[in-house]
Amino acid sequence: MWPFTSSLPATALAALPKAFGSAEMIKEALDWQKAESILIRGGSTAIGLAVAALAKADGLLVVGTTRSTAKAEQMLGGDFDHVVVDDGEISGKVLESLPGGVGAAVEMLGFPWVQDTLRCVRPLGTVCMVGILAEQSASRSTGTPQDRLAPVAPSPQWFIPAGVRLTTAMQNGVTRMKVPEPSLNHMQEWVDLLEAGRMRFPLHSVLPLESVSEAYALLENTDRIGRITLTVSHPAD
């Protein structure tokens, strides 16, 4: 249990723990207060938006990526200072905007995209690899189950730039959010920042449980940004 008090509606609060708990793990792994700037590859995802919100609240310059031009416009209206439309290679575009590279980066697409993300980071900067969104997308489209134990990447020494660090926010491939740890409980901080208007987190839709099929359809909508919350109605006494 994560105790807190808040005047925010339950539908908004329900969207916070998973995304922001993951973002806190990423913040811890990157030690991003020293970074000054951060790149979030997969910035329009729920975790990407949470990372952007926390990083912006901490005063970082935030760069995000998305494959959708429609999402890019929405992201620029939020916590992102720069948004790059991801066509598979982003390092040239990122370095054009920030010639020295970013101080930290979050990689959520997986391998081999991490190689390109590493090229966006300045020496002594860190990339935190936390997702395999591209592999998940391919799995859904082909119907082929993911094999997370399959060796899909070459030895890291062949593609990590000298001086750039690569880490993860997971332990043995398992996120600590599976069993919420007390160290990740910043719920009161998150709601205080949201209530004070110092942080934003978009909620796309609130739907009744009976509309779960519509919720899944929205999840597949490539132009959607923000969490989807399902509500459960209680029968009248």
Side-chain angles (χ1 to χ4, degrees), residues 4-53:
F4 66 93
T5 59
S6 175
S7 61
L8 294 172
T11 49
L13 295 171
L16 300 181
K18 175 68 182 296
F20 278 88
S22 298
E24 289 287 351
M25 288 194 301
I26 292 166
K27 176 179 177 178
E28 180 182 295
L30 287 172
D31 193 16
W32 73 35
Q33 287 86 347
K34 304 173 184 177
E36 299 179 350
S37 57
I38 186 169
L39 166 67
I40 307 168
R41 193 160 196 179
S44 62
T45 63
I47 293 175
L49 293 169
V51 170

Side-chain angles (χ1 to χ4, degrees), residues 30-216:
L30 287 172
D31 193 16
W32 73 35
Q33 287 86 347
K34 304 173 184 177
E36 299 179 350
S37 57
I38 186 169
L39 166 67
I40 307 168
R41 193 160 196 179
S44 62
T45 63
I47 293 175
L49 293 169
V51 170
L54 289 180
K56 197 65 179 177
D58 282 345
L60 275 69
L61 183 145
V62 181
V63 182
T65 76
T66 176
R67 291 175 294 177
S68 164
T69 54
K71 283 185 178 180
E73 295 178 6
Q74 297 177 65
M75 291 163 67
L76 284 171
D79 292 307
F80 294 88
D81 299 289
H82 301 280
V83 176
V84 174
V85 176
D86 193 341
D87 59 4
E89 293 186 10
I90 62 167
S91 54
K93 300 173 186 176
V94 171
L95 294 174
E96 183 177 345
S97 299
L98 298 167
V102 295
V106 182
E107 170 57 61
M108 287 193 280
L109 298 187
F111 184 84
W113 293 267
V114 66
Q115 299 177 80
D116 186 44
T117 300
L118 283 159
R119 290 192 287 268
C120 299
V121 179
R122 66 184 182 224
L124 301 185
T126 305
V127 175
C128 183
M129 190 169 178
V130 294
I132 51 171
L133 293 177
E135 295 172 42
Q136 290 172 340
S137 178
S139 177
R140 287 197 302 269
S141 62
T142 62
T144 304
Q146 298 175 59
D147 181 1
R148 298 194 178 193
L149 299 179
V152 296
S155 173
Q157 67 179 335
W158 298 113
F159 62 82
I160 298 180
V164 177
R165 302 154 176 161
L166 177 62
T167 188
T168 181
M170 307 176 80
Q171 185 68 37
N172 297 324
V174 178
T175 172
R176 288 184 289 149
M177 284 300 295
K178 296 292 185 182
V179 180
E181 293 185 7
S183 65
L184 299 176
N185 181 13
H186 297 265
M187 191 74 177
Q188 192 64 61
E189 296 175 29
W190 306 333
V191 297
D192 288 347
L193 287 168
L194 288 166
E195 289 178 346
R198 294 179 52 206
M199 191 169 74
R200 291 171 288 191
F201 190 59
L203 185 64
H204 182 278
S205 302
V206 177
L207 299 170
L209 183 61
E210 295 75 16
S211 299
V212 65
S213 59
E214 181 182 346
Y216 273 105

Side-chain angles (χ1 to χ4, degrees), residues 209-210 231-237:
L209 183 61
E210 295 75 16
T231 60
V232 180
S233 59
H234 295 282
D237 294 334

